[in-house]
Every structure is written in structure tokens, then in C-alpha cells.
Amino acid sequence: MKSVNRTHFAHNGLFILIITVFLLPGCTRVNQLLERFGLTDNSSASQTVQDVPVFAVNTTLAVEGQIQEYISLSGDIVAGSTVDAYSDAAGRVTRIYVSVGSWVSRGDRIATVDPSRPGMTFMESTVTSPISGTIAMLPAQVGMTISQAVPLARIQAAGALEIKLNVAERFISKMAMNLPCEITLDAWPGEVFLGSVRELSPNVDPASRTMEVRVNVRDTASRLKPGMFAKVRVITERKDHIVKIPASAVITRFGEQYVYVTRRDSENPAYNIVRKRVITQGILIDGIMEVQKGLEPGEEIVVRGQTLLDDGSRVNIIERVTPLGE
């Protein structure tokens, strides 16, 4: 019976103590009493303080380099300069000295024409090339009768290949003479030929709303032929020694653009944290962005997983992506 009373008294005493604790003013006094009777859990409190979320991210480096803005166009290669060769006299073609694709210099023989008539014999007339170049067309055949108005051959001037492009009206303001061009063709995969804008039409086609532009092509090895289809990048702006990053790293919210830069946590160097950095955008092309202000070359930025971050968030770098241009 006494044992039951003692147990009952102990329970009542503990209940009274708890009531007293909650009625006492001041957190310090409450904590002291709870610690005195072993009613606190220090390990749980410590765990709550250390329970900081860590976000998995991928990063890369901002790099210094070149960026260029361009307009992608396509068109056919045409002969830039062609000249037809004519006979000085009407008559029958008796001999041809060249074939299509042959190289001729100015003054070289192309054909001979006999202007003789029945009962009249005349000296044969020799047709020569007016320029140096390649025989592009040869409509004349031995035995055919021609007049002075019929061309015997068409000569394409040496190295005078052009690409005829049609530029949409919205891009006309960016066109200018001598803009550099990069040219690729399916016939020569992996190779880039160089050229420049050499002619701008003064008119816009009202039906298609396009302007004709001609680009010359540098082809010292004579690998390109008229009629080939070419893809052309007209470089409208080029900048050197700028800071560039993947456009996917940039977050746009509430009218500002920013990235997250990684840093070592000064309070706990075993971890990385991120800092928000507002940037100013320049040229954006092919998923690459020029950063005019806000970043320096070599700074490490988050390129994946940044949408859940805040300034000061702790991160775990899962992968460091190869920087642009490497």
C-alpha cells in the first residue's frame, strides 16, 4: 500500500512541477528547470540547427573568348563573270579546239569557221577566247552553220564564283558591303570556305519581300562548281575578348537576369554555397550569351539545378561541365 502511495505521489509531483514550469516567466528559468530534471533533448536541437538542405547542381566556368552574330542563308553558286565568244563571219564550223571544262587564256583558239559559199572560197576565220577562264558551255559542233549572232562558247572568268542569296526584309538593315561570310556545302562536308558580300541589290522584290545579295567565294583549288547549293553565314557582328556563358545558366525573373556563382562556405569550408549575380546581356546566338557586366572570366556558375536556389543556398557540385570553346 505504501509503495502505491509513493508512486502516486511521484506522478503528482512531476505533474505539479510541469505546471509550475509553464507558469514561470522567462525562457531562461524554464530551460534551467527542464535541464535540472533532465527533460531537454540537446541532441535533437543540435540536429535541427544542422539540418540545412543541400542542392545537387552542375557547374561550368565563364570564359573569355569571341562571339559573333550571323544570319543563316542559302543559295546557289553561280559564275560571277561569263563572256561569250562569237565568230566574225557566218559559216560552217570546221574545227573545235576545246571542250567543256577546258582552261583557256585570252587569245587561245576555240574554233575555226569557214565562210565559203558555193562557187566562192574564203579564208577560214579563227574564233579566239576574249578572256582567260574555263569553258562553261560549248554549243558549237563541227559541221553546224552559225551566224555572227550565235555564240560558239561561253567562258567563265577564273575564280569568279558567286553565291546568289535572297535576304528577308527584316534582315536588310544588317546587310552591308564586305561583310565576312562562312560557306559550307554538302559536296565538301566539314570544310568551311570564306567569302564576303560584294553586291547589294538596290531594290526589294515586292512579291517575296526579299533583297538579292551576292557573295563572292574564295576557292583557290577550284573545287566549287556553278549550280552547287551552299549554306552561308553572313557575319553581321563580331566581338573579341568578351565573357561568355551558356544561355541555359541564366534565370530571368521580375525583369532582371542573373546567375548563381559558387563559393566556399566561410562558416563551413567543407560545403559550397551560391551567390546571386545580376548580369547584363550582350549578343545571344546558338545558346551562347555574351555577358557585358556582372561576371569575370574563370568564375564558376551553376548551369543545371539553379531554379530551386536562393542566394546563400548550400550546393553539392555533381558535375563540372567543360567550358565553352574547350
Side-chain angles (χ1 to χ4, degrees), residues 230-252:
K231 299 175 184 178
V232 182
R233 286 185 176 184
V234 181
I235 311 301
T236 57
E237 186 176 3
R238 177 179 289 163
K239 292 183 178 181
D240 297 313
H241 308 296
I242 55 93
V243 178
K244 58 183 180 179
I245 61 173
S248 59
V250 181
I251 300 174
T252 303

Side-chain angles (χ1 to χ4, degrees), residues 222-278:
S222 301
R223 291 176 293 177
L224 306 185
K225 311 295 181 185
M228 284 183 172
F229 180 76
K231 299 175 184 178
V232 182
R233 286 185 176 184
V234 181
I235 311 301
T236 57
E237 186 176 3
R238 177 179 289 163
K239 292 183 178 181
D240 297 313
H241 308 296
I242 55 93
V243 178
K244 58 183 180 179
I245 61 173
S248 59
V250 181
I251 300 174
T252 303
R253 288 177 185 166
F254 307 112
E256 67 178 7
Q257 292 181 307
Y258 57 90
V259 296
Y260 285 109
V261 179
T262 62
R263 291 283 186 271
R264 280 291 179 186
D265 190 346
S266 58
E267 297 180 359
N268 192 339
Y271 294 95
N272 291 298
I273 62 171
V274 294
R275 290 301 181 192
K276 178 181 175 181
R277 190 76 65 79
V278 178

Side-chain angles (χ1 to χ4, degrees), residues 12 18 58 65-66 77 86 99 103 129 145 167 247 258 272:
N12 289 339
I18 293 173
N58 292 353
Q66 181 191 87
I77 296 180
Y86 295 87
S99 59
W103 169 264
S129 174
T145 301
V167 179
Y258 57 90
N272 291 298

Side-chain angles (χ1 to χ4, degrees), residues 42-56:
N42 292 329
S43 62
S44 177
S46 175
Q47 183 179 0
T48 302
V49 173
Q50 297 296 328
D51 191 13
V52 178
V54 179
F55 298 91

